[in-house]
Amino acid sequence: DGGHIGAAMLLAVLLLLASVLLALLVWQVWIRFWFSPLRKIPFAPGSSWLNGAFWDIIREEQGVTHLRFVQKYGNIVWWKFFLGTADVLVADPAGIKHVLNSPNFVKPSRLRGHFARIVGGESLLVLEGREHAIHRAVINPAFNYSNVKAMIPIFDSMANRLVDHWLRVYDDHTSMKIAAGADLGRLTFDSICMTAFGFNMNSLSETKSPIVSHFQNLFFSIQPSLVRMLPGFFSLPIDENRRREKSRLEIEKLIVDIVHKKLESAKATTARVDLLDRLLDVQESNSESAIRLSDDQIMTHLLTFAAAGHDTTSSSLAFTLYLLTRDDSARLRAQREARAILSKRDGVMSHEAVEEMPFVQAVIKESLRLFPPAAINMRTPIKDEDVCGYTIPTASNIILSTILMHRHPY
């Protein structure tokens, strides 16, 4: 009867759709690579028939899988990643130089879109080519040698505030574990907010502050996640996206208010050294050659520095403290050196004091070598491109592993 015919037709349509999806999956994960130039590059099979080396990289310590693959297959190797995407690891120094310097390799569009949607536009972190050069020319002077030196008292004040917080909270609890990661995140967040746009968030003491919560919502969306990388995720009507967008708008209101206050006080002071000051100076310049950014572009750069800068810095500090806890002789030597230098300077931290601490500097550099805050860089070729004698096809993900570069004996 009609009911059975309708059910049979529906079943036939579902079977057809399932067959098409299965065929697409088989093509994506296996068959297309039979015709790809990648087949000539050494291949690391990984442990998953569907996702290749995905689970190896996720489960192992950062950089371990990369080093193992390079030691086994050589300085250029590829593997299948999530749902058959192709990752090509380039560990050859000449190949890395070519990828980074050639305009034919760009940041993956999905990563660029991911970050741009979070901060409301394309910032220095994701811009390419001439646009990147223009924005960098505007921003770079804010981080010149004298300006960075002037930031040291801010960093010193924030660090002392964190130490006072730990002594107050963990007093008489010498065996208690300290939530160093979260607290270091608040420390670097406050420091970057001060140096980027001259505003102290006080996130260490005001953890319940609405504006701090808004920044936390924004930062949460930056954390790596396969779900967030799926096409259309940021357009879904879900709580995370609604919270993020609400928080971004509230943060923009705060920064607009800060800008207005800075402009009102500009006539009363010439001491303008933070990033926002630099951008405002350019906007107000009478020079015909001055490069001016739009208000939206300024907002995007500020949010980028606050969001991306605080996380990388706090992770570097956390790894440095972690390494020192595992080497008592290095920790004691660093403490002795710092105390000796600061005692001669009445406890005042300065750029000159740091220059007199070679072992402390060596500790920080070694920590950055072992655990670089940006552990990998990714590029994708805009056309089929030759690297180390192999052709890498368009849309392949090229992995430049900083952590591997720092550990690979070559």
Side-chain angles (χ1 to χ4, degrees):
D1 60 14
H4 285 91
I5 294 174
M9 290 181 63
L10 177 59
L11 181 59
V13 171
L14 292 176
L15 287 173
L16 177 61
L17 288 175
S19 299
V20 170
L21 290 175
L22 180 60
L24 289 174
L25 180 63
V26 171
W27 169 263
Q28 171 73 11
V29 176
W30 289 294
I31 297 178
R32 70 188 183 98
F33 294 116
W34 299 350
F35 309 97
S36 171
L38 292 174
R39 69 188 186 279
K40 296 181 180 180
I41 301 176
F43 174 65
S47 59
S48 170
W49 64 271
L50 178 62
N51 294 318
F54 171 75
W55 291 116
D56 304 74
I57 294 171
I58 294 297
R59 289 167 179 163
E60 294 185 319
E61 182 181 330
Q62 202 167 44
V64 169
T65 310
H66 293 168
L67 183 58
R68 176 160 54 83
F69 284 170
V70 166
Q71 289 173 335
K72 186 172 182 178
Y73 301 103
N75 280 343
I76 182 167
V77 56
W78 79 281
W79 58 82
K80 296 174 188 175
F81 200 58
F82 185 62
L83 293 180
T85 54
D87 283 358
V88 183
L89 175 66
V90 177
D92 177 78
I96 294 170
K97 181 179 179 181
H98 173 58
V99 171
L100 290 176
N101 291 335
S102 171
N104 293 329
F105 298 92
V106 297
K107 302 176 184 75
S109 58
R110 188 169 295 179
L111 290 179
R112 293 179 63 184
H114 170 78
F115 199 82
R117 280 186 289 266
I118 292 171
V119 297
E122 290 198 332
S123 68
L124 196 63
L125 196 64
V126 297
L127 288 171
E128 298 281 358
R130 185 173 180 273
E131 275 193 293
H132 181 274
I134 291 173
H135 286 243
R136 183 172 179 176
V138 174
I139 293 172
N140 263 358
F143 298 96
N144 64 30
Y145 189 67
S146 59
N147 280 352
V148 172
K149 285 175 62 176
M151 296 175 186
I152 290 180
I154 295 175
F155 300 149
D156 184 42
S157 173
M158 295 296 178
N160 284 322
R161 187 176 301 176
L162 175 59
V163 171
D164 291 341
H165 170 76
W166 280 347
L167 291 174
R168 182 173 62 255
V169 173
Y170 300 106
D171 187 31
D172 296 328
H173 296 286
T174 54
S175 62
M176 183 179 291
K177 292 182 179 180
I178 296 177
D183 287 344
L184 289 171
R186 297 185 183 98
L187 162 71
T188 55
F189 172 57
D190 286 347
S191 300
I192 286 178
C193 286
M194 280 293 294
T195 54
F197 41 88
F199 186 83
N200 187 2
M201 294 294 176
N202 290 314
S203 65
L204 193 64
S205 56
E206 299 180 16
T207 56
K208 305 292 186 182
S209 164
I211 194 62
V212 172
S213 297
H214 287 312
F215 270 101
Q216 289 173 340
N217 288 337
L218 198 67
F219 296 160
F220 178 76
S221 296
I222 296 174
Q223 301 306 311
S225 167
L226 286 174
V227 175
R228 296 191 189 103
M229 298 303 294
L230 292 174
F233 172 81
F234 285 96
S235 300
L236 295 176
I238 58 176
D239 286 344
E240 178 181 327
N241 289 338
R242 285 191 285 265
R243 286 196 304 269
R244 185 196 69 254
E245 187 60 20
K246 178 183 177 182
S247 294
R248 188 177 65 80
L249 293 175
E250 290 297 326
I251 292 168
E252 287 184 358
K253 289 180 184 178
L254 171 69
I255 295 177
V256 168
D257 184 56
I258 293 172
V259 169
H260 289 161
K261 289 180 179 178
K262 278 182 173 290
L263 292 175
E264 289 172 2
S265 62
K267 297 178 181 179
T269 178
T270 58
R272 305 179 68 182
V273 296
D274 59 47
L275 175 60
L276 177 55
D277 288 331
R278 166 63 188 169
L279 297 177
L280 292 177
D281 285 341
V282 172
Q283 297 301 90
E284 297 171 354
S285 172
N286 293 321
S287 171
E288 293 183 2
S289 62
I291 301 170
R292 292 175 175 81
L293 305 180
S294 69
D295 291 346
D296 288 342
Q297 288 172 328
I298 290 176
M299 188 74 67
T300 298
H301 286 308
L302 292 172
L303 287 178
T304 298
F305 276 97
H310 101 285
D311 186 61
T312 52
T313 309
S314 64
S315 66
S316 296
L317 289 171
F319 277 123
T320 302
L321 294 178
Y322 164 75
L323 291 171
L324 286 172
T325 62
R326 297 177 62 85
D327 190 333
D328 286 341
S329 62
R331 176 177 57 81
L332 292 172
R333 182 177 172 184
Q335 286 176 334
R336 285 195 296 268
E337 181 180 78
R339 286 169 177 166
I341 297 302
L342 291 178
S343 65
K344 296 188 300 183
R345 296 176 172 274
D346 298 323
V348 177
M349 179 62 73
S350 64
H351 178 266
E352 291 72 24
V354 174
E355 288 294 304
E356 295 180 32
M357 301 180 190
F359 186 74
V360 171
Q361 291 186 54
V363 166
I364 295 171
K365 290 175 181 177
E366 180 65 359
S367 173
L368 290 171
R369 182 186 74 83
L370 291 172
F371 299 103
I376 66 169
N377 278 295
M378 297 181 68
R379 295 292 187 273
T380 187
I382 59 176
K383 64 182 182 65
D384 290 3
E385 189 76 14
D386 182 82
V387 178
C388 300
Y390 296 101
T391 298
I392 299 181
T394 304
S396 301
N397 292 321
I398 297 178
I399 307 296
L400 306 176
S401 176
T402 310
I403 196 168
L404 173 62
M405 296 178 210
H406 292 178
R407 300 174 184 226
H408 187 12
Y410 292 101

